[in-house]
Amino acid sequence: MDVIHTKIAIIGSGPAGLLLGQLLYKAGIEHVIIEQRSADYVAARIRAGILEQVSVDLLKFAGVDQHLQRDGLPHSGIEILTQGKKHRIDLAGLTQGKQVTVYGQTEVTKDLMQAREQAQLHSYYKAQDVQVHDFDDAPYVTFNQNGKAYQVQCDFIAGCDGYHGICRASAPQDKIKTFEKVYPFGWLGVLADVPPVADELIYVQSDRGFALCSMRSETRSRYYLQVPLTDHVDDWSDERFWEELKNRLDAESQQNLVTGPSIEKSIAPLRSFVTEPMRFGKMFLAGDAAHIVPPTGAKGLNLAASDIAYLSAALIEYYRTGSEQGIDQYSEKCLQRVWKAERFSWWMTHLLHRFDSESEFDLKIKQAELAYILGSEAGQTTLAENYVGLPYEIMDLDQLS
Ligand code: APR
Ligand code: PHB
């Protein structure tokens, strides 16, 4: 068995694990990443694409924003389409100039992987039977790779291994509490090399269900439809998808919609999920390992980034000064922001989707709520300030340098 000594063992090479690795590297803190999938698989996963300004700042600070600056599309507003009419939410105007950036999470992952390769930092891909041990005292991780057994002895374990990972599953049952809400529908997503239907994202509330018109670039569109969980992607030919999307849009968007062959099509279930706490002795959970949001608020990657900002600051402080203050406060600080983003994502999901269980009364109330939000500056500001991202303490990035 190969025994490796390091300071931090990061489990999972998604955006959370990769960003933590990059920030630790910048601070000169030794670490390894252990990932069960192949590098190609990780780099190809297609996911959401909206970055809050604080996430963009963090990626810049981490030194991985060259492509993001070149290809990212700054958006200062979004459209909400309801009752056949579009209403613009002036994100920048309502939040003292804050914007979001449209940039695929797949690209964020690739940029971080490339930076890692350039810095010649090691990741163990295709690691099998990954297990975390003794994280109350002297933590270590075991796994197999290419038929060889490894043991990684470390000071801390960072559980960045997503919703299905082993870190959360290894936490003692009597010390962990989880909160969950599963929604009775999914999102059917299509990626296509066609110009986006509009310059800004359109969130659609319609009698036929929710839809979202998003994009990756001026020539690549990303569209979503609310579909029953019982549907299978094979039920949705490209023709059927475009037809249904059209049916949920307003007349102007119907006219502007350019259709074409899909290059990716998949159905994802929607879930709200939070784990408390996010620290178990010398093991921390971060990103999807600790919480899931439905994609309606575009918060998944952004929450992973804020966890990592807190975690990296805590670890850097610990190694520089010996103080455990950041480590001790990690879980509580993250959870404060997590629950606010959970609330926003749940609220957007409720407001914009069609639920089979809704009565006519419920629908009228929902319509009134939408009318209130869209007709009031206070209502729009609430939506805007959550959408662009609530502030967090570490946005003084000096704390990480
Ligand atoms: N051992 C090692 N790696 C594992 C294990 C395991 N037992 N289980 C899972 N992993 C890996 C997965 O293969 C994946 O590459 O951990 C990684 C977790 O990555 P993500 O699921 O992308 O989670 P995270 O990095 O927290 O990113 C959060 O991803 O799903 C979106 O909306 C979410 O945008 C958010 C972002
Ligand atoms: C996306 O572009 O994939 C996207 C954008 C906004 C969301 C969710 C997904 O709310």
Side-chain angles (χ1 to χ4, degrees), residues 54-85:
V54 283
S55 303
V56 172
D57 293 345
L58 191 61
L59 291 166
K60 179 173 183 198
F61 176 80
V64 286
D65 70 327
Q66 297 87 340
H67 296 155
L68 170 59
Q69 296 299 345
R70 189 190 63 199
D71 301 332
L73 304 171
H75 278 208
S76 58
I78 53 169
E79 300 271 3
I80 308 264
L81 168 59
T82 177
Q83 310 277 59
K85 230 180 124 216

PDB file of all heavy atoms in Angstrom, residues 54-85:
ATOM      1  N   VAL A  54     -20.004  37.751  -6.875  1.00  0.00           N
ATOM      2  CA  VAL A  54     -19.046  37.278  -5.864  1.00  0.00           C
ATOM      3  C   VAL A  54     -18.330  36.003  -6.320  1.00  0.00           C
ATOM      4  O   VAL A  54     -17.159  35.789  -5.993  1.00  0.00           O
ATOM      5  CB  VAL A  54     -19.719  37.061  -4.472  1.00  0.00           C
ATOM      6  CG1 VAL A  54     -19.955  38.390  -3.776  1.00  0.00           C
ATOM      7  CG2 VAL A  54     -20.993  36.267  -4.570  1.00  0.00           C
ATOM      8  N   SER A  55     -19.010  35.174  -7.110  1.00  0.00           N
ATOM      9  CA  SER A  55     -18.357  33.967  -7.631  1.00  0.00           C
ATOM     10  C   SER A  55     -17.325  34.342  -8.686  1.00  0.00           C
ATOM     11  O   SER A  55     -16.230  33.771  -8.744  1.00  0.00           O
ATOM     12  CB  SER A  55     -19.390  33.008  -8.240  1.00  0.00           C
ATOM     13  OG  SER A  55     -20.364  32.664  -7.280  1.00  0.00           O
ATOM     14  N   VAL A  56     -17.685  35.319  -9.533  1.00  0.00           N
ATOM     15  CA  VAL A  56     -16.738  35.795 -10.547  1.00  0.00           C
ATOM     16  C   VAL A  56     -15.497  36.371  -9.853  1.00  0.00           C
ATOM     17  O   VAL A  56     -14.361  36.077 -10.239  1.00  0.00           O
ATOM     18  CB  VAL A  56     -17.398  36.867 -11.459  1.00  0.00           C
ATOM     19  CG1 VAL A  56     -16.379  37.517 -12.378  1.00  0.00           C
ATOM     20  CG2 VAL A  56     -18.525  36.244 -12.273  1.00  0.00           C
ATOM     21  N   ASP A  57     -15.724  37.167  -8.795  1.00  0.00           N
ATOM     22  CA  ASP A  57     -14.593  37.758  -8.065  1.00  0.00           C
ATOM     23  C   ASP A  57     -13.690  36.673  -7.476  1.00  0.00           C
ATOM     24  O   ASP A  57     -12.473  36.796  -7.484  1.00  0.00           O
ATOM     25  CB  ASP A  57     -15.096  38.669  -6.931  1.00  0.00           C
ATOM     26  CG  ASP A  57     -15.811  39.902  -7.461  1.00  0.00           C
ATOM     27  OD1 ASP A  57     -15.674  40.202  -8.663  1.00  0.00           O
ATOM     28  OD2 ASP A  57     -16.529  40.555  -6.675  1.00  0.00           O
ATOM     29  N   LEU A  58     -14.326  35.620  -6.967  1.00  0.00           N
ATOM     30  CA  LEU A  58     -13.552  34.546  -6.350  1.00  0.00           C
ATOM     31  C   LEU A  58     -12.719  33.802  -7.401  1.00  0.00           C
ATOM     32  O   LEU A  58     -11.551  33.467  -7.165  1.00  0.00           O
ATOM     33  CB  LEU A  58     -14.509  33.586  -5.627  1.00  0.00           C
ATOM     34  CG  LEU A  58     -13.889  32.554  -4.713  1.00  0.00           C
ATOM     35  CD1 LEU A  58     -13.109  33.226  -3.580  1.00  0.00           C
ATOM     36  CD2 LEU A  58     -14.962  31.654  -4.104  1.00  0.00           C
ATOM     37  N   LEU A  59     -13.318  33.558  -8.569  1.00  0.00           N
ATOM     38  CA  LEU A  59     -12.584  32.875  -9.639  1.00  0.00           C
ATOM     39  C   LEU A  59     -11.431  33.750 -10.140  1.00  0.00           C
ATOM     40  O   LEU A  59     -10.350  33.254 -10.455  1.00  0.00           O
ATOM     41  CB  LEU A  59     -13.534  32.505 -10.787  1.00  0.00           C
ATOM     42  CG  LEU A  59     -14.536  31.396 -10.426  1.00  0.00           C
ATOM     43  CD1 LEU A  59     -15.661  31.310 -11.454  1.00  0.00           C
ATOM     44  CD2 LEU A  59     -13.831  30.037 -10.316  1.00  0.00           C
ATOM     45  N   LYS A  60     -11.662  35.046 -10.153  1.00  0.00           N
ATOM     46  CA  LYS A  60     -10.599  35.978 -10.539  1.00  0.00           C
ATOM     47  C   LYS A  60      -9.480  35.919  -9.506  1.00  0.00           C
ATOM     48  O   LYS A  60      -8.298  35.807  -9.851  1.00  0.00           O
ATOM     49  CB  LYS A  60     -11.175  37.396 -10.615  1.00  0.00           C
ATOM     50  CG  LYS A  60     -10.162  38.429 -10.988  1.00  0.00           C
ATOM     51  CD  LYS A  60     -10.824  39.772 -11.213  1.00  0.00           C
ATOM     52  CE  LYS A  60      -9.729  40.740 -11.657  1.00  0.00           C
ATOM     53  NZ  LYS A  60     -10.056  42.090 -11.529  1.00  0.00           N
ATOM     54  N   PHE A  61      -9.866  35.964  -8.261  1.00  0.00           N
ATOM     55  CA  PHE A  61      -8.875  35.907  -7.191  1.00  0.00           C
ATOM     56  C   PHE A  61      -8.062  34.605  -7.269  1.00  0.00           C
ATOM     57  O   PHE A  61      -6.861  34.585  -7.022  1.00  0.00           O
ATOM     58  CB  PHE A  61      -9.575  36.017  -5.835  1.00  0.00           C
ATOM     59  CG  PHE A  61      -8.625  35.861  -4.698  1.00  0.00           C
ATOM     60  CD1 PHE A  61      -7.835  36.921  -4.293  1.00  0.00           C
ATOM     61  CD2 PHE A  61      -8.483  34.637  -4.066  1.00  0.00           C
ATOM     62  CE1 PHE A  61      -6.931  36.770  -3.262  1.00  0.00           C
ATOM     63  CE2 PHE A  61      -7.580  34.476  -3.035  1.00  0.00           C
ATOM     64  CZ  PHE A  61      -6.795  35.548  -2.632  1.00  0.00           C
ATOM     65  N   ALA A  62      -8.759  33.520  -7.644  1.00  0.00           N
ATOM     66  CA  ALA A  62      -8.088  32.222  -7.747  1.00  0.00           C
ATOM     67  C   ALA A  62      -7.197  32.149  -8.992  1.00  0.00           C
ATOM     68  O   ALA A  62      -6.475  31.165  -9.193  1.00  0.00           O
ATOM     69  CB  ALA A  62      -9.130  31.102  -7.765  1.00  0.00           C
ATOM     70  N   GLY A  63      -7.282  33.168  -9.851  1.00  0.00           N
ATOM     71  CA  GLY A  63      -6.421  33.220 -11.044  1.00  0.00           C
ATOM     72  C   GLY A  63      -6.931  32.337 -12.178  1.00  0.00           C
ATOM     73  O   GLY A  63      -6.153  31.885 -13.013  1.00  0.00           O
ATOM     74  N   VAL A  64      -8.237  32.080 -12.213  1.00  0.00           N
ATOM     75  CA  VAL A  64      -8.771  31.191 -13.255  1.00  0.00           C
ATOM     76  C   VAL A  64      -9.891  31.887 -14.035  1.00  0.00           C
ATOM     77  O   VAL A  64     -10.874  31.246 -14.408  1.00  0.00           O
ATOM     78  CB  VAL A  64      -9.310  29.857 -12.669  1.00  0.00           C
ATOM     79  CG1 VAL A  64      -8.180  28.948 -12.264  1.00  0.00           C
ATOM     80  CG2 VAL A  64     -10.236  30.113 -11.487  1.00  0.00           C
ATOM     81  N   ASP A  65      -9.717  33.169 -14.289  1.00  0.00           N
ATOM     82  CA  ASP A  65     -10.818  33.888 -14.941  1.00  0.00           C
ATOM     83  C   ASP A  65     -10.493  34.382 -16.357  1.00  0.00           C
ATOM     84  O   ASP A  65     -11.256  35.163 -16.907  1.00  0.00           O
ATOM     85  CB  ASP A  65     -11.246  35.076 -14.064  1.00  0.00           C
ATOM     86  CG  ASP A  65     -10.184  36.161 -14.046  1.00  0.00           C
ATOM     87  OD1 ASP A  65      -8.989  35.809 -14.116  1.00  0.00           O
ATOM     88  OD2 ASP A  65     -10.554  37.346 -13.972  1.00  0.00           O
ATOM     89  N   GLN A  66      -9.384  33.898 -16.951  1.00  0.00           N
ATOM     90  CA  GLN A  66      -9.029  34.402 -18.287  1.00  0.00           C
ATOM     91  C   GLN A  66     -10.145  34.118 -19.296  1.00  0.00           C
ATOM     92  O   GLN A  66     -10.602  35.008 -20.009  1.00  0.00           O
ATOM     93  CB  GLN A  66      -7.718  33.770 -18.811  1.00  0.00           C
ATOM     94  CG  GLN A  66      -6.500  34.089 -17.978  1.00  0.00           C
ATOM     95  CD  GLN A  66      -6.319  33.096 -16.820  1.00  0.00           C
ATOM     96  OE1 GLN A  66      -7.259  32.412 -16.405  1.00  0.00           O
ATOM     97  NE2 GLN A  66      -5.114  33.021 -16.288  1.00  0.00           N
ATOM     98  N   HIS A  67     -10.600  32.868 -19.350  1.00  0.00           N
ATOM     99  CA  HIS A  67     -11.657  32.521 -20.319  1.00  0.00           C
ATOM    100  C   HIS A  67     -12.989  33.150 -19.926  1.00  0.00           C
ATOM    101  O   HIS A  67     -13.774  33.560 -20.776  1.00  0.00           O
ATOM    102  CB  HIS A  67     -11.812  30.997 -20.425  1.00  0.00           C
ATOM    103  CG  HIS A  67     -10.584  30.339 -20.954  1.00  0.00           C
ATOM    104  ND1 HIS A  67     -10.267  29.027 -20.702  1.00  0.00           N
ATOM    105  CD2 HIS A  67      -9.570  30.834 -21.715  1.00  0.00           C
ATOM    106  CE1 HIS A  67      -9.106  28.753 -21.285  1.00  0.00           C
ATOM    107  NE2 HIS A  67      -8.675  29.827 -21.904  1.00  0.00           N
ATOM    108  N   LEU A  68     -13.200  33.199 -18.624  1.00  0.00           N
ATOM    109  CA  LEU A  68     -14.438  33.794 -18.110  1.00  0.00           C
ATOM    110  C   LEU A  68     -14.540  35.255 -18.522  1.00  0.00           C
ATOM    111  O   LEU A  68     -15.598  35.719 -18.961  1.00  0.00           O
ATOM    112  CB  LEU A  68     -14.433  33.637 -16.578  1.00  0.00           C
ATOM    113  CG  LEU A  68     -15.464  34.359 -15.740  1.00  0.00           C
ATOM    114  CD1 LEU A  68     -16.864  33.962 -16.138  1.00  0.00           C
ATOM    115  CD2 LEU A  68     -15.256  34.030 -14.253  1.00  0.00           C
ATOM    116  N   GLN A  69     -13.420  35.992 -18.432  1.00  0.00           N
ATOM    117  CA  GLN A  69     -13.442  37.403 -18.844  1.00  0.00           C
ATOM    118  C   GLN A  69     -13.673  37.514 -20.347  1.00  0.00           C
ATOM    119  O   GLN A  69     -14.339  38.431 -20.821  1.00  0.00           O
ATOM    120  CB  GLN A  69     -12.099  38.096 -18.486  1.00  0.00           C
ATOM    121  CG  GLN A  69     -11.803  38.177 -17.003  1.00  0.00           C
ATOM    122  CD  GLN A  69     -12.857  38.981 -16.226  1.00  0.00           C
ATOM    123  OE1 GLN A  69     -13.664  39.705 -16.805  1.00  0.00           O
ATOM    124  NE2 GLN A  69     -12.873  38.827 -14.910  1.00  0.00           N
ATOM    125  N   ARG A  70     -13.129  36.552 -21.096  1.00  0.00           N
ATOM    126  CA  ARG A  70     -13.232  36.619 -22.556  1.00  0.00           C
ATOM    127  C   ARG A  70     -14.621  36.205 -23.053  1.00  0.00           C
ATOM    128  O   ARG A  70     -15.212  36.863 -23.891  1.00  0.00           O
ATOM    129  CB  ARG A  70     -12.158  35.691 -23.167  1.00  0.00           C
ATOM    130  CG  ARG A  70     -12.002  35.819 -24.665  1.00  0.00           C
ATOM    131  CD  ARG A  70     -11.115  34.708 -25.196  1.00  0.00           C
ATOM    132  NE  ARG A  70     -11.708  33.390 -24.968  1.00  0.00           N
ATOM    133  CZ  ARG A  70     -11.027  32.244 -24.996  1.00  0.00           C
ATOM    134  NH1 ARG A  70      -9.732  32.244 -25.228  1.00  0.00           N
ATOM    135  NH2 ARG A  70     -11.639  31.097 -24.777  1.00  0.00           N
ATOM    136  N   ASP A  71     -15.129  35.088 -22.500  1.00  0.00           N
ATOM    137  CA  ASP A  71     -16.351  34.497 -23.052  1.00  0.00           C
ATOM    138  C   ASP A  71     -17.602  34.707 -22.211  1.00  0.00           C
ATOM    139  O   ASP A  71     -18.715  34.460 -22.679  1.00  0.00           O
ATOM    140  CB  ASP A  71     -16.164  32.979 -23.229  1.00  0.00           C
ATOM    141  CG  ASP A  71     -14.997  32.667 -24.157  1.00  0.00           C
ATOM    142  OD1 ASP A  71     -14.711  33.508 -25.033  1.00  0.00           O
ATOM    143  OD2 ASP A  71     -14.374  31.603 -23.992  1.00  0.00           O
ATOM    144  N   GLY A  72     -17.430  35.094 -20.942  1.00  0.00           N
ATOM    145  CA  GLY A  72     -18.597  35.267 -20.072  1.00  0.00           C
ATOM    146  C   GLY A  72     -19.453  36.436 -20.569  1.00  0.00           C
ATOM    147  O   GLY A  72     -18.922  37.433 -21.056  1.00  0.00           O
ATOM    148  N   LEU A  73     -20.769  36.271 -20.460  1.00  0.00           N
ATOM    149  CA  LEU A  73     -21.666  37.342 -20.912  1.00  0.00           C
ATOM    150  C   LEU A  73     -22.270  38.032 -19.692  1.00  0.00           C
ATOM    151  O   LEU A  73     -23.084  37.425 -18.987  1.00  0.00           O
ATOM    152  CB  LEU A  73     -22.801  36.755 -21.769  1.00  0.00           C
ATOM    153  CG  LEU A  73     -22.420  35.917 -22.990  1.00  0.00           C
ATOM    154  CD1 LEU A  73     -23.660  35.233 -23.575  1.00  0.00           C
ATOM    155  CD2 LEU A  73     -21.768  36.798 -24.052  1.00  0.00           C
ATOM    156  N   PRO A  74     -21.880  39.282 -19.413  1.00  0.00           N
ATOM    157  CA  PRO A  74     -22.487  39.979 -18.277  1.00  0.00           C
ATOM    158  C   PRO A  74     -23.949  40.301 -18.578  1.00  0.00           C
ATOM    159  O   PRO A  74     -24.256  40.780 -19.674  1.00  0.00           O
ATOM    160  CB  PRO A  74     -21.663  41.277 -18.160  1.00  0.00           C
ATOM    161  CG  PRO A  74     -20.612  41.210 -19.201  1.00  0.00           C
ATOM    162  CD  PRO A  74     -20.926  40.113 -20.153  1.00  0.00           C
ATOM    163  N   HIS A  75     -24.831  39.995 -17.642  1.00  0.00           N
ATOM    164  CA  HIS A  75     -26.256  40.297 -17.826  1.00  0.00           C
ATOM    165  C   HIS A  75     -26.729  41.220 -16.713  1.00  0.00           C
ATOM    166  O   HIS A  75     -26.542  40.918 -15.540  1.00  0.00           O
ATOM    167  CB  HIS A  75     -27.086  39.006 -17.796  1.00  0.00           C
ATOM    168  CG  HIS A  75     -27.095  38.287 -19.110  1.00  0.00           C
ATOM    169  ND1 HIS A  75     -28.131  37.492 -19.522  1.00  0.00           N
ATOM    170  CD2 HIS A  75     -26.190  38.265 -20.115  1.00  0.00           C
ATOM    171  CE1 HIS A  75     -27.862  37.001 -20.724  1.00  0.00           C
ATOM    172  NE2 HIS A  75     -26.683  37.451 -21.104  1.00  0.00           N
ATOM    173  N   SER A  76     -27.369  42.306 -17.104  1.00  0.00           N
ATOM    174  CA  SER A  76     -27.813  43.262 -16.083  1.00  0.00           C
ATOM    175  C   SER A  76     -29.313  43.164 -15.840  1.00  0.00           C
ATOM    176  O   SER A  76     -29.872  43.955 -15.094  1.00  0.00           O
ATOM    177  CB  SER A  76     -27.432  44.680 -16.503  1.00  0.00           C
ATOM    178  OG  SER A  76     -28.025  44.953 -17.757  1.00  0.00           O
ATOM    179  N   GLY A  77     -29.974  42.201 -16.479  1.00  0.00           N
ATOM    180  CA  GLY A  77     -31.411  42.039 -16.250  1.00  0.00           C
ATOM    181  C   GLY A  77     -31.878  40.649 -16.646  1.00  0.00           C
ATOM    182  O   GLY A  77     -31.153  39.914 -17.331  1.00  0.00           O
ATOM    183  N   ILE A  78     -33.072  40.277 -16.167  1.00  0.00           N
ATOM    184  CA  ILE A  78     -33.735  39.049 -16.632  1.00  0.00           C
ATOM    185  C   ILE A  78     -35.193  39.392 -16.945  1.00  0.00           C
ATOM    186  O   ILE A  78     -35.701  40.411 -16.479  1.00  0.00           O
ATOM    187  CB  ILE A  78     -33.714  37.911 -15.559  1.00  0.00           C
ATOM    188  CG1 ILE A  78     -34.278  38.397 -14.227  1.00  0.00           C
ATOM    189  CG2 ILE A  78     -32.331  37.329 -15.391  1.00  0.00           C
ATOM    190  CD1 ILE A  78     -34.539  37.284 -13.217  1.00  0.00           C
ATOM    191  N   GLU A  79     -35.812  38.544 -17.738  1.00  0.00           N
ATOM    192  CA  GLU A  79     -37.226  38.740 -18.054  1.00  0.00           C
ATOM    193  C   GLU A  79     -38.056  37.678 -17.340  1.00  0.00           C
ATOM    194  O   GLU A  79     -37.630  36.523 -17.244  1.00  0.00           O
ATOM    195  CB  GLU A  79     -37.467  38.557 -19.569  1.00  0.00           C
ATOM    196  CG  GLU A  79     -36.697  39.501 -20.453  1.00  0.00           C
ATOM    197  CD  GLU A  79     -37.439  40.811 -20.730  1.00  0.00           C
ATOM    198  OE1 GLU A  79     -38.547  40.999 -20.168  1.00  0.00           O
ATOM    199  OE2 GLU A  79     -36.908  41.622 -21.492  1.00  0.00           O
ATOM    200  N   ILE A  80     -39.217  38.086 -16.854  1.00  0.00           N
ATOM    201  CA  ILE A  80     -40.190  37.118 -16.338  1.00  0.00           C
ATOM    202  C   ILE A  80     -41.400  37.204 -17.262  1.00  0.00           C
ATOM    203  O   ILE A  80     -41.965  38.290 -17.448  1.00  0.00           O
ATOM    204  CB  ILE A  80     -40.639  37.462 -14.901  1.00  0.00           C
ATOM    205  CG1 ILE A  80     -39.444  37.671 -13.980  1.00  0.00           C
ATOM    206  CG2 ILE A  80     -41.623  36.415 -14.383  1.00  0.00           C
ATOM    207  CD1 ILE A  80     -38.996  36.532 -13.158  1.00  0.00           C
ATOM    208  N   LEU A  81     -41.764  36.074 -17.840  1.00  0.00           N
ATOM    209  CA  LEU A  81     -42.932  36.038 -18.735  1.00  0.00           C
ATOM    210  C   LEU A  81     -44.089  35.377 -17.994  1.00  0.00           C
ATOM    211  O   LEU A  81     -43.988  34.223 -17.562  1.00  0.00           O
ATOM    212  CB  LEU A  81     -42.562  35.258 -20.005  1.00  0.00           C
ATOM    213  CG  LEU A  81     -43.675  34.837 -20.958  1.00  0.00           C
ATOM    214  CD1 LEU A  81     -44.463  36.030 -21.473  1.00  0.00           C
ATOM    215  CD2 LEU A  81     -43.083  34.069 -22.141  1.00  0.00           C
ATOM    216  N   THR A  82     -45.172  36.125 -17.834  1.00  0.00           N
ATOM    217  CA  THR A  82     -46.358  35.559 -17.173  1.00  0.00           C
ATOM    218  C   THR A  82     -47.606  36.145 -17.829  1.00  0.00           C
ATOM    219  O   THR A  82     -47.572  37.294 -18.285  1.00  0.00           O
ATOM    220  CB  THR A  82     -46.349  35.825 -15.645  1.00  0.00           C
ATOM    221  OG1 THR A  82     -47.548  35.324 -15.075  1.00  0.00           O
ATOM    222  CG2 THR A  82     -46.213  37.291 -15.297  1.00  0.00           C
ATOM    223  N   GLN A  83     -48.667  35.402 -17.912  1.00  0.00           N
ATOM    224  CA  GLN A  83     -49.913  35.837 -18.576  1.00  0.00           C
ATOM    225  C   GLN A  83     -49.614  36.360 -19.987  1.00  0.00           C
ATOM    226  O   GLN A  83     -50.213  37.332 -20.419  1.00  0.00           O
ATOM    227  CB  GLN A  83     -50.594  36.964 -17.771  1.00  0.00           C
ATOM    228  CG  GLN A  83     -50.764  36.677 -16.299  1.00  0.00           C
ATOM    229  CD  GLN A  83     -52.012  35.853 -16.020  1.00  0.00           C
ATOM    230  OE1 GLN A  83     -52.163  34.735 -16.535  1.00  0.00           O
ATOM    231  NE2 GLN A  83     -52.893  36.348 -15.212  1.00  0.00           N
ATOM    232  N   GLY A  84     -48.617  35.728 -20.639  1.00  0.00           N
ATOM    233  CA  GLY A  84     -48.298  36.094 -22.020  1.00  0.00           C
ATOM    234  C   GLY A  84     -47.538  37.398 -22.173  1.00  0.00           C
ATOM    235  O   GLY A  84     -47.332  37.882 -23.288  1.00  0.00           O
ATOM    236  N   LYS A  85     -47.105  37.989 -21.047  1.00  0.00           N
ATOM    237  CA  LYS A  85     -46.418  39.292 -21.111  1.00  0.00           C
ATOM    238  C   LYS A  85     -45.069  39.243 -20.416  1.00  0.00           C
ATOM    239  O   LYS A  85     -44.957  38.676 -19.319  1.00  0.00           O
ATOM    240  CB  LYS A  85     -47.295  40.338 -20.407  1.00  0.00           C
ATOM    241  CG  LYS A  85     -47.498  41.578 -21.250  1.00  0.00           C
ATOM    242  CD  LYS A  85     -48.361  42.604 -20.557  1.00  0.00           C
ATOM    243  CE  LYS A  85     -47.565  43.897 -20.510  1.00  0.00           C
ATOM    244  NZ  LYS A  85     -47.681  44.716 -19.407  1.00  0.00           N
TER     245      LYS A  85
END
